[in-house]
Amino acid sequence: MALRALRKLKFTTRYSQSILNAEVSKNSLKCFAAYSTQEGDYADIVISGGGMVGAAMACALANNNLLKDKRIILLEMDRDKGDFVLSEKYSNRTCALSPATARLLSGFGAWQEIQSLRYHPVLRMQVWESCADAMITFNNDDMTEALAYIVENDIILAGIMKALKSFKDRVEVRYQAKATSYSNIDSQSVSSTKLPYVEMTLNDGSKLRTKLLIGADGMNSNVRKTAGFHTINRDYGQTAVVAILELGDTTQNNTAWQRFLPTGPIALLPISSNLSSLIWTTTTENSKHLLDIPSESFVDAVNDALWHEREKNQIAGQALSVFRNLLQNVFPESQEQCRQLPPTAINVVEKTRASFPLTLIHSSQYVKPRVVLIGDAGHRLHPLAGQGVNLGFGDVECLNEILTKAVQNGADLGSLTHLLEFETQRQRHNVPVMATIDGLQRLYSTDFTPLVLIRALGLHAVHSLPVLKKFIISRASV
């Protein structure tokens, strides 16, 4: 009898507790509804900026089952353009997506969408300069595995947005929406337990509050500026001229070409069997000239930049010849020069010539309480290595992993405890890449003989040692 009474008491207690919990939950929902109505809308995560990186961030979070009960809002300044229609004309803005980026996009279905549209693999890369005969080539052993994939920017975004539509129940996309002002975005106020959110006023006058604001709003990030992130800026005093070129003598257009000139590098990236995307970094004055001259003259200027020999340094050439023989004797297994001649441009596709200025921007911090920067909002670098957007997609992958850990540990999504881990991981990766690219830009922007000699010998040494080349390829793929 006593045992039966005890069991009945335990059941009654559990039943009463469940009713109490249900009432508490019900009252909480009522309070939340009242809060949303009176104080403004609420989302667990708000992503400001619906470009390639911001949209990819939304997809990654929506695809994360541990975040399925979180409300996510993506603010996109542009209008909803509806279903993407692939144009026969190629766009002059392209990206070289790394295999790691392709794997990330594949994880939530965007890479499959891109493949159904248009992309072109790079199987080989050749880099050389105008002041010496030193060069380096990159390719995987069997020449079947791609080093990168050249994709037009609008196709990348279209593929990601198409994938995002499959997560419409998890992500709310607000088009033609942007925050016009923020409050509680400085580190002192948002760290207070009394204000555990960031509040923003949108361009339609509505209020929106969130536990975590992700700034993916580009190099002129309003989130970064409003939150008071300290940034390092460098104006390169250079302009990138872009265009789509038709090539005349290609059978398999799968090589990316880059030649360093004292005024900046010129690169051809394959986008089809007979078309390549031109990215020519040059002085601002020369860029204006290149945009103004007739098409025939522009094509002649491109071919001259790829082929001319008038800047060759004789001292560097002689030293390189001696060094090449010495290296071959010391390391018989070192690779010989296997130079391929660059293609010849025969035409520039009409209305594809354009230009944009080049600057370096790096935020000293990527995070503050309840605020995190990703992509160009946190770091923008010189395009000579084509790594800018890949660093942004790396931010997406890392932040998704960090937020997963936060949920598993029951932590506040906007807490600095785990956001600082994101900053540490990404700066350890991004800063060396940015420093290397900035250093290369400085090193190759001169025809000073000692520097020409140093870079020629160094480039040939790396080219001749397969171990170093494989290491570089492996690092560029992650």
Side-chain angles (χ1 to χ4, degrees), residues 242-247 275 278 293-299 302 345-353:
V242 296
I244 301 299
L245 297 176
E246 183 182 351
L247 308 181
L275 296 177
L278 170 74
I293 59 178
S295 297
E296 295 80 4
S297 301
F298 181 80
V299 171
V302 170
I346 62 173
N347 186 37
V348 56
V349 177
E350 186 179 0
K351 297 182 180 180
T352 61
R353 273 188 284 176

Side-chain angles (χ1 to χ4, degrees), residues 49 64 81 100 112 266 306 330 339 384 415 444 463:
N64 189 334
K81 298 179 181 178
Q112 293 85 336
I266 180 171
L306 291 170
V330 176
R339 181 185 297 271
L384 71 85
S415 170
Y444 279 94
H463 174 78

